[in-house]
Amino acid sequence: MSERALRGTRLGATSYETDRGIDLAPRQTVEYACRNGHRFEMPFSVEAEIPPEWECRACGQTAQLVDGEGPEEKTSKPARTHWDMLMERRTLEELEEVLAERLAVLRSGAMNIAVHPRDNRKSA
């Protein structure tokens, strides 16, 4: 008989338990609003920390907590440029000295920059 009672049901897909006699955790409802004017409510436990932002159910944009504090602004470091990293290693006087040395080498002709391996292939 028990085999016939389960025939035609999807085992594991449907729960046959009921909520009778179960006390649910106390809840609070929090309202969010997005920039497009959508407003919606989300249930949270009374003990839960309420997030200041939530994804809007209608449009997917970030919605802000109504009558709440905004999200904390993250302090970000400014992007380090090549010049900033160079100045961490050398002073302006050192850079001017290196530049003068390199210009002297170029002007003396010790480095032949006019001949490049790729240029030889073109003429051959």
Side-chain angles (χ1 to χ4, degrees):
M1 178 87 180
S2 64
E3 291 177 9
R4 291 186 209 151
L6 295 178
R7 185 176 294 170
T9 63
R10 295 169 293 186
L11 292 177
T14 306
S15 174
Y16 294 106
E17 294 184 16
T18 63
D19 292 339
R20 273 185 274 148
I22 297 176
D23 292 331
L24 298 176
R27 299 181 186 269
Q28 61 180 330
T29 303
V30 180
E31 188 176 14
Y32 289 92
C34 77
R35 294 180 185 164
N36 293 337
H38 303 120
R39 295 176 82 87
F40 58 95
E41 294 181 343
M42 294 296 299
F44 287 97
S45 170
V46 173
E47 299 171 357
E49 183 178 329
I50 307 300
E53 295 179 336
W54 199 266
E55 184 177 320
C56 179
R57 291 177 165 181
C59 64
Q61 289 198 7
T62 302
Q64 304 293 326
L65 182 64
V66 174
D67 297 332
E69 295 180 11
E72 295 179 11
E73 292 294 325
K74 296 179 181 177
T75 57
S76 61
K77 295 188 287 185
R80 283 177 48 198
T81 63
H82 179 72
W83 179 254
D84 295 333
M85 291 184 263
L86 183 64
M87 294 306 294
E88 289 174 3
R89 296 189 307 263
R90 300 189 185 234
T91 64
L92 280 175
E93 293 78 24
E94 291 173 333
L95 290 173
E96 288 174 359
E97 184 179 326
V98 170
L99 177 63
E101 289 173 7
R102 298 309 300 163
L103 287 174
V105 169
L106 285 173
R107 289 179 182 143
S108 70
M111 286 183 61
N112 189 358
I113 61 171
V115 178
H116 193 273
R118 292 184 188 160
D119 293 336
N120 291 338
R121 281 186 274 153
K122 289 179 184 177
S123 61

